[in-house]
Amino acid sequence: MTEYTTRVLNTVRTKNAHEPEFLQAVQEVVSTIEPVLTAHKKYEENCILERITEPERTIMFRVPWTDDEGHIHINRGYRVEFNSAIGPYKGGLRFHPSVNLGILKFLGFEQVFKNSLTTLAMGGGKGGSDFDPKGKSDAEVMRFCQSFMTELQRHIGADTDVPAGDIGVGGREIGYLFGQYKRLRNEFTGVLTGKALNWGGSLIRPEATGYGCVYFAQNMLATRGDDVSGKVCTVSGSGNVAQYLVEKLNQLGAKVVTMSDSNGTVYDPDGINAEKLAWVMELKNVRRGRIKEYVAQFPGSQYLEDQRPWDIPCDCAFPCATQNEINGKDAETLIKNGCKLVAEGANMPTDLDGINIYLQSKILYGPAKAANAGGVAVSGLEMAQNSQRLNWTREEVDAKLHGIMKNIHENAYHHAHEYSSDCTADFTNYVAGANIAGFVKVADAMIDQGLV
Ligand code: NDP
């Protein structure tokens, strides 16, 4: 570590001592962008690291709501507006009991670099609440969303800050949030993405994160003359990202043998084919059931209570549930069992030990910022369609998503080979490449715009 990065990291640690996920995200970025900081002193002279690790604005607010029995509940709402150097703040809302400021700061910080990589004009932000939509009626979720938006609407707007979904925020929640925004502001604008198709949404947005992650994996495999066809794949999660990722893997001839939720994993050695996936989608999206119900429906499969999928041998692994779901030991097990590729659908699903093991083993590793950027990229395309009052076809949006994922791959690949000394003809450090490519664009914009 250089004197500059050591000093900044120490300050960030002191100022954010109780936010381990945020510190983890900052450490990962800072440790990989050192070569560019050393080569270009302007970043240190302009205190870019100090500035880029501090959110531009953090909003916290009370969210009161009543349940169906008339009891009052109070949750905490947040929006972290992290960086607007290259466009309006953009990033999802997460509703989950684990949500706190540190988690949203890590997600907002990651989002700054990810959005930069997409090549679209979007800054980075993230928000949400410790509200748990699980087990709540539709009416309760609606009342919560309306109360949440009653405060949030003061801070967002189509040219200011454009939230989207994340864990616990899907089409239903985006609908209630949009309805309340429209009612309070008396304007129909593209203030949220992930909207339904008949009122401003984009085709392929629900699919985009999962599909994009598979496209990124395909680009990585192509550097070794390979592709996903015939590969045995393990997937975690069974929500939005996991569902469409499994759909695309099936379409491309791979065999997916696991899906999971926060209670356990289902292992189906015959593969979760299109018909079984349709059943999972109905289970999770309509009946809001648990993944363990799969085994009663599909004999030959097993339910692994309280387990993640990483002990199951696979060629490719796609973590699509949540942060830090793969630790160093899991990464070692994956590699020992023959895994050759990890592409991250979830945000920061691998901890720092796990990342180091991937890099030492020289497998193909697509970090979240690059591999799951397809979701926010199509959100950017939804904003573009809303501004023009136009709807592009499914084929048009999918072709643009393909192009964006290819560009992200090339951008990360070239920056890795330019700056990261561990890259060889057969190995690309995509962590370094994605962080450096994302950083340079935002940092240069910050310098151009002066000290703000
Ligand atoms: P969903 O809420 O649709 O699904 C989340 C899935 O992950 C569920 O199966 C859930 O299980 C599981 N999960 C959540 N928390 C945990 C936990 N602590 N341990 C184990 N499993 C857990 O969310 P998404 O699919 O939208 O998001 C998944 C990941 O992808 C997140 O990291 C998100 O930040 C990231 N992401 C999402 C994007 C999007 O477009 N939606 C874009 C880019 C990244 P359960 O039902 O038991 O809670």
Side-chain angles (χ1 to χ4, degrees):
M1 293 290 247
T2 62
E3 189 277 329
Y4 178 44
T5 51
T6 306
R7 176 163 44 83
V8 174
L9 269 183
N10 283 341
T11 309
V12 172
R13 281 195 199 104
T14 309
K15 283 168 86 173
N16 306 279
H18 303 295
E19 297 173 350
E21 293 87 0
F22 177 57
L23 295 177
Q24 181 183 335
V26 172
Q27 187 170 336
E28 186 225 276
V29 169
V30 171
S31 64
T32 53
I33 62 174
E34 277 198 327
V36 90
L37 299 173
T38 305
H40 305 283
K41 286 290 169 207
K42 63 180 176 177
Y43 299 124
E44 183 172 349
E45 284 158 16
N46 284 280
C47 290
I48 292 297
L49 268 193
E50 293 88 326
R51 290 158 63 192
I52 212 167
T53 51
E54 189 67 33
E56 289 176 13
R57 190 176 300 108
T58 302
I59 300 145
M60 282 173 67
F61 51 95
R62 180 173 70 197
V63 189
W65 58 281
T66 49
D67 65 23
D68 290 343
E69 275 74 51
H71 298 124
I72 294 172
H73 299 265
I74 309 295
N75 283 96
R76 190 173 279 179
Y78 305 84
R79 187 72 183 163
V80 180
E81 297 184 332
F82 221 109
N83 193 300
S84 61
I86 61 167
Y89 309 105
K90 179 89 197 91
L93 296 171
R94 175 176 291 192
F95 292 169
H96 193 273
S98 65
V99 162
N100 58 41
L101 185 58
I103 287 186
L104 295 177
K105 279 171 66 182
F106 117 64
L107 289 163
F109 181 72
E110 293 272 300
Q111 198 81 45
V112 173
F113 300 87
K114 182 190 308 192
N115 293 3
S116 166
L117 276 173
T118 65
T119 69
L120 304 176
M122 297 181 292
K126 200 82 187 188
S129 173
D130 56 359
F131 173 74
D132 187 359
K134 253 189 239 137
K136 305 289 189 302
S137 70
D138 287 353
E140 288 171 330
V141 171
M142 182 180 75
R143 286 196 292 276
F144 174 81
C145 288
Q146 290 178 340
S147 181
F148 182 85
M149 185 53 88
T150 300
E151 174 60 32
L152 188 69
Q153 56 89 21
R154 298 175 216 280
H155 311 288
I156 62 175
D159 295 318
T160 312
D161 183 353
V162 184
D166 190 77
I167 292 177
V169 179
R172 173 182 62 170
E173 290 76 17
I174 293 288
Y176 296 146
L177 291 164
F178 183 82
Q180 184 73 348
Y181 180 89
K182 183 166 62 67
R183 182 186 194 192
L184 293 170
R185 299 283 288 257
N186 197 26
E187 55 184 39
F188 194 112
T189 59
V191 68
L192 290 161
T193 57
K195 300 185 288 297
L197 280 179
N198 51 348
W199 45 273
S202 173
L203 285 158
I204 302 283
R205 176 61 190 91
E207 294 90 337
T209 309
Y211 280 19
C213 187
V214 177
Y215 298 158
F216 192 86
Q218 287 282 64
N219 278 292
M220 291 198 293
L221 284 161
T223 64
R224 295 185 177 175
D226 204 352
D227 71 75
V228 295
S229 174
K231 299 280 186 296
V232 173
C233 302
T234 48
V235 175
S236 65
S238 49
N240 170 267
V241 178
Q243 291 173 14
Y244 289 104
L245 184 129
V246 173
E247 180 170 283
K248 185 53 72 180
L249 285 173
N250 280 333
Q251 287 170 5
L252 295 175
K255 179 160 130 182
V256 178
V257 294
T258 65
M259 290 183 85
S260 69
D261 63 20
S262 49
N263 299 113
T265 296
V266 288
Y267 171 44
D268 185 343
D270 297 331
I272 303 171
N273 61 19
E275 182 208 332
K276 295 173 183 176
L277 177 64
W279 186 88
V280 171
M281 286 183 167
E282 204 267 340
L283 170 79
K284 299 303 285 189
N285 307 344
V286 181
R287 288 196 281 130
R288 299 189 188 271
R290 308 304 299 158
I291 200 72
K292 69 176 173 200
E293 296 171 49
Y294 183 100
V295 291
Q297 187 71 18
F298 301 109
S301 58
Q302 289 172 48
Y303 180 59
L304 310 165
E305 178 98 32
D306 287 332
Q307 286 185 44
R308 293 173 174 160
W310 317 127
D311 288 345
I312 311 279
C314 66
D315 302 308
C316 306
F318 295 88
C320 296
T322 194
Q323 64 273 3
N324 290 330
E325 52 171 315
I326 301 183
N327 59 26
K329 191 167 156 288
D330 298 322
E332 270 170 11
T333 307
L334 278 168
I335 285 155
K336 183 169 63 77
N337 286 339
C339 179
K340 300 282 187 299
L341 174 145
V342 176
E344 297 182 334
N347 282 312
M348 207 170 75
T350 309
D351 73 8
L352 291 170
D353 289 344
I355 293 175
N356 285 334
I357 287 162
Y358 301 152
L359 295 178
Q360 282 155 18
S361 312
K362 310 241 179 274
I363 62 163
L364 294 169
Y365 167 51
K369 275 184 207 84
N372 74 25
V376 72
V378 175
S379 276
L381 301 181
E382 182 174 331
M383 289 163 72
Q385 292 169 80
N386 291 164
S387 304
Q388 298 173 69
R389 305 265 196 273
L390 283 176
N391 293 312
W392 299 333
T393 64
R394 196 178 163 83
E395 290 70 29
E396 278 175 290
V397 181
D398 197 29
K400 287 183 200 296
L401 175 61
H402 258 291
I404 289 170
M405 296 315 295
K406 188 165 183 286
N407 284 341
I408 292 174
H409 177 268
E410 276 171 14
N411 205 2
Y413 182 94
H414 289 304
H415 279 84
H417 284 269
E418 183 177 348
Y419 287 106
S420 190
S421 56
D422 56 351
C423 292
T424 62
D426 303 324
F427 174 69
T428 304
N429 183 338
Y430 290 100
V431 188
N435 286 340
I436 292 169
F439 171 80
V440 166
K441 183 175 172 194
V442 176
D444 287 346
M446 289 171 74
I447 293 173
D448 291 345
Q449 292 168 23
L451 191 55
V452 291

